[in-house]
Amino acid sequence: MTREAGGVTAASVTPSVILFGPMSPVRWGPPDRPYHRPIWHGTRSEPGDQPGPDVHPAVLAIREQEVLAAADEVGAAGRPGPSDSGSDGV
């Protein structure tokens, strides 16, 4: 997912699991909400969108079971109501 699409997802109240590669979710990740779950296995934040044919090792470290478990967790958290969206309007 691109950071733009991740930002749109994070700005909504739709539960989401967002996978991160070279860039830490601290910079481009969703707000800390129970219905958003970033997954990142990087060791340091690196510039993203570098040209090249290889998949970043941080992405390759993400396993299917981890994504499925995160999806179950955000699904169980449910969609928040208007008063649960946080002070930033998200």
Side-chain angles (χ1 to χ4, degrees):
M1 173 175 287
T2 67
R3 66 177 178 245
E4 292 83 7
V8 169
T9 301
S12 74
V13 294
T14 300
S16 63
V17 175
I18 304 173
L19 311 182
F20 286 83
M23 186 63 68
S24 165
V26 170
R27 181 169 181 169
W28 296 108
D32 186 19
R33 306 275 192 275
Y35 48 89
H36 294 311
R37 182 64 43 87
I39 298 178
W40 181 59
H41 290 297
T43 56
R44 61 186 169 84
S45 195
E46 302 172 20
D49 303 325
Q50 298 296 317
D54 298 327
V55 177
H56 194 275
V59 175
L60 294 175
I62 298 170
R63 298 290 172 230
E64 177 182 359
Q65 282 306 113
E66 181 180 13
V67 174
L68 294 174
D72 286 343
E73 290 172 11
V74 299
R79 294 182 85 148
S83 62
D84 298 330
S85 61
S87 61
D88 57 2
V90 176

